[in-house]
């Protein structure tokens, strides 16, 4: 039982990063608009050209609602819970010196990124960048505490 709990401490940040990526991708799939660009119509129709020229800088895949900020309660809760889990693992590995690691801070930065930074007009890029950083940080965490929890 003690070995199971130590493996859970080791792998849970990575499991949560994968879970948050799945929730985010499912949310983007069901709450987004994908604009298809018809190149022939884009070059011939001036009204279509003006409409698509306004859409193209924001990206062809956009979340419905406010494009520049995260306003979904589900995603805000998922990312805040990720920050809390990162803090818990930072505290769990802080007290004994041989287990001390700062790698949960990388994952915490990944979970904080979409909540704090508004880069451009489309929040999807910040969500994906934050998930990539959180995933990389959780992989580093697994490697950093691998020998201490065996």
């Amino acid at each position: 039982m003690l070995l199971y709990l130590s493996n859970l401490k080791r792998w849970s940040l990575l499991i949560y990063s994968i879970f948050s990526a799945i929730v985010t991708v499912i949310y983007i799939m069901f709450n987004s608009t994908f604009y298809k660009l018809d190149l022939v119509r884009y070059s011939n129709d001036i009204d279509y050209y003006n409409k698509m020229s306004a859409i193209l800088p924001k990206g062809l895949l956009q979340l419905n609602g406010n494009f520049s900020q995260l306003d979904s309660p589900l995603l805000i809760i998922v990312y805040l819970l990720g920050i809390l889990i990162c803090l818990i693992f930072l505290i769990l590995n802080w007290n004994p010196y041989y287990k001390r690691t700062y790698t949960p801070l990388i994952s915490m930065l990944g979970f904080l990124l979409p909540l704090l930074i508004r880069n451009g007009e489309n929040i999807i890029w910040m969500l994906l960048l934050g998930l990539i950083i959180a995933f990389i940080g959780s992989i580093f965490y697994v490697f950093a505490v691998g020998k201490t929890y065996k």
Side-chain angles (χ1 to χ4, degrees):
M1 185 67 176
L2 188 61
L3 182 64
Y4 177 72
L5 287 176
S6 64
N7 278 334
L8 184 65
K9 285 182 195 176
R10 180 180 178 195
W11 292 99
S12 58
L13 188 58
L14 181 64
I15 291 169
Y16 188 77
S17 295
I18 292 170
F19 168 75
S20 63
I22 290 170
V23 167
T24 303
V25 167
I26 290 172
Y27 182 83
I28 289 172
M29 284 172 41
F30 288 116
N31 295 304
S32 62
T33 303
F34 182 71
Y35 297 98
K36 295 180 182 175
L37 180 63
D38 185 6
L39 291 175
V40 174
R41 189 173 171 197
Y42 183 74
S43 62
N44 294 333
D45 188 5
I46 192 67
D47 292 329
Y48 185 74
Y49 175 81
N50 290 336
K51 178 183 172 187
M52 292 311 286
S53 294
I55 291 173
L56 282 176
K58 299 174 187 172
L60 293 176
L61 182 66
Q62 300 174 9
L63 284 178
N64 295 330
N66 193 351
F67 305 131
S68 64
Q69 70 181 2
L70 189 62
D71 56 356
S72 164
L74 172 70
L75 291 182
I76 291 172
I77 289 171
V78 166
Y79 286 107
L80 287 177
L81 191 60
I83 293 168
L84 181 68
I85 288 172
C86 291
L87 276 175
I88 288 170
F89 285 115
L90 183 68
I91 292 169
L92 281 177
N93 292 318
W94 186 260
N95 209 7
Y97 183 74
Y98 66 93
K99 286 198 277 186
R100 186 174 294 175
T101 181
Y102 296 102
T103 53
L105 291 176
I106 300 170
S107 293
M108 187 185 305
L109 175 71
F111 287 121
L112 271 173
L113 196 65
L115 296 174
L116 297 179
I117 296 178
R118 314 285 189 268
N119 186 16
E121 296 180 357
N122 199 348
I123 193 65
I124 292 177
W125 294 112
M126 279 295 114
L127 288 172
L128 295 177
L129 182 63
L131 286 174
I132 290 170
I133 292 172
F135 188 70
I136 290 171
S138 62
I139 288 174
F140 284 152
Y141 174 76
V142 168
F143 288 136
V145 298
K147 299 213 186 238
T148 59
Y149 285 128
K150 281 187 179 182

